[in-house]
Amino acid sequence: MTDVRAGHRGERTREKIALRDRGGRGDPSPLGTWFWDIDRVLLLLALFLIAIGLIAVAAGSPASAVRYSGEHLKFAPLHYFWRQTMWVAVSLPVLFVVSMLPLTMARRMSLIGAAVCIALMVFVPFLGVSVNGARRWVGFGFAQFQPSEFLKPFFVVTVAWLLSFKSRDADLPVTAITAGLTGAIAVLLMLQPDFGQTVIFCTIWLALVMIAGTPTRVIVGFLSMIPVALVAAYLFYSTATKRIDAFLFPGVEGEGAADHFQTNAAHNTLTSGGWFGTGPGGGTVKFGLPEAHTDYIFSVIGEEFGLLACMIVALTFLAIVVRVFVKLLDEQDPFRLLAASGLAVQFGAQALISMAVNTGLAPSKGMTLPFISYGGSSMIALSMGMGLLLAFTRRNPFLLRSPYIAQQRWSAE
């Protein structure tokens, strides 16, 4: 009788332990492991930006609907909001699934994705869909996407993987190889033309070679080439010439005047709401703003929700970048260090350029604000990039503290 009672007590104890471990730190299931190893603060910041983006697209959608409606085609005021909601519903599973990938699988997916996107970009200038004078999209009708948007996170991981070989053999010419790859991509982007994305790719590459420990003299050499490259772009690349002329010389005529009108309209919209904004749906200046739901959505946030809301958005982007770099301070794996820091640089640089254009501090570049601007390609690609960032910063804080726990985790896998 005593043995029976002891058996029941043991069974109840095992059930309690199982219930305690399910969803707890000791949960060995893939979902439980992912939840406790993921950077939940980083994930919450990304979800916060996505939520802000839905609100901002809802605010900018009526202005864009009016602008793009014609005699035979009428868009509903919230047309772009409902489409963006659909894209978010598609993107969130992508973000979560990619963040669960093992390191090797995430790297392999990125290398294959980079090769596919570069191959597609070769044909974009010739077979791509033309929108607003630029050929950046491939596909037909509803199923159009922008290969360069998807290439950005894959490019970061690819360059990080190549540069990580320096830790094994310092004599490998990986810096030159990555420079050639970046230059080829820049040429393909300028053929579209897409000057803003060219700046992003070059910025990412320069940041990665600096983080990889490239000698100072080489870094100084690369930095000294930036003014030369800008002058050459101004002299020989017509898109850059028009954008820079519009930014430096407000009285310029032609396409440059149109670009200057856009930056002026964005600045006026941004500041028209004051510190606290006109309230949701109360903005009127936004109806004179081109691309209110995409490139200039930051200005719509300023008009309807105020400059304080803009500051919150900017600080959220800053918090994501700072969070990643602080988390990487004790990272020992060169590849994970380079991949995660490069993805953070990509995210932060794109946000910085987009906000600079909206505030009139940079020429118009057609740059979307990450997770906030409308767009299917942008939303899915950014979700994929954030998923990779979460995968590369995922770690179990107990693995290095206790060999027993490490051995138990490995045996469970």
Side-chain angles (χ1 to χ4, degrees), residues 215-412:
T216 305
R217 66 181 184 278
V218 179
I219 296 297
V220 172
F222 287 141
L223 292 175
S224 63
M225 291 173 62
I226 294 177
V228 178
L230 288 176
V231 171
Y234 179 78
L235 293 176
F236 303 108
Y237 186 47
S238 60
T239 301
T241 305
K242 295 170 184 175
R243 296 288 171 86
I244 294 173
D245 280 346
F247 181 70
L248 296 178
F249 311 110
V252 71
E253 297 181 354
E255 293 185 27
D259 284 346
H260 187 69
F261 163 77
Q262 292 179 6
T263 54
N264 272 350
H267 183 269
N268 294 337
T269 306
L270 177 70
T271 56
S272 63
W275 285 105
F276 303 102
T278 60
T284 56
V285 184
K286 66 182 181 183
F287 285 92
L289 185 65
E291 307 295 340
H293 61 312
T294 54
D295 299 347
Y296 297 105
I297 198 166
F298 190 66
S299 296
V300 175
I301 295 175
E303 180 182 17
E304 298 208 350
F305 303 99
L307 295 177
L308 286 177
C310 292
M311 292 174 61
I312 292 173
V313 172
L315 289 174
T316 304
F317 285 116
L318 178 62
I320 289 176
V321 176
V322 172
R323 173 77 181 181
V324 172
F325 278 96
V326 170
K327 195 174 181 67
L328 293 174
L329 288 176
D330 60 346
E331 180 58 62
Q332 300 299 315
D333 184 352
F335 169 68
R336 288 169 67 113
L337 172 65
L338 289 167
S341 57
L343 289 166
V345 169
Q346 175 218 324
F347 192 77
Q350 183 170 336
L352 182 63
I353 291 175
S354 178
M355 290 186 289
V357 170
N358 277 255
T359 53
L361 297 177
S364 175
K365 288 184 175 65
M367 188 72 63
T368 58
L369 190 59
F371 285 135
I372 294 181
S373 294
Y374 168 86
S377 292
S378 177
M379 180 59 66
I380 296 175
L382 285 164
S383 296
M384 195 171 292
M386 181 56 67
L388 288 170
L389 181 56
L390 290 167
F392 293 135
T393 56
R394 192 176 68 230
R395 64 177 67 176
N396 185 340
F398 296 98
L399 280 178
L400 298 178
R401 299 179 190 175
S402 171
Y404 170 74
I405 295 179
Q407 184 177 0
Q408 186 182 46
R409 170 59 59 84
W410 290 332
S411 63

Side-chain angles (χ1 to χ4, degrees), residues 124 126-132 134-141 144:
V124 165
F126 310 103
L127 304 177
V129 179
S130 179
V131 179
N132 294 331
R135 291 186 180 273
R136 303 171 186 171
W137 291 263
V138 294
F140 303 94
Q144 293 180 10

Side-chain angles (χ1 to χ4, degrees), residues 72-88:
H72 303 290
L73 180 63
K74 297 289 185 181
F75 289 110
L78 294 179
H79 169 78
Y80 294 103
F81 167 73
W82 293 118
R83 287 175 63 92
Q84 185 72 350
T85 302
M86 178 194 69
W87 289 124
V88 169

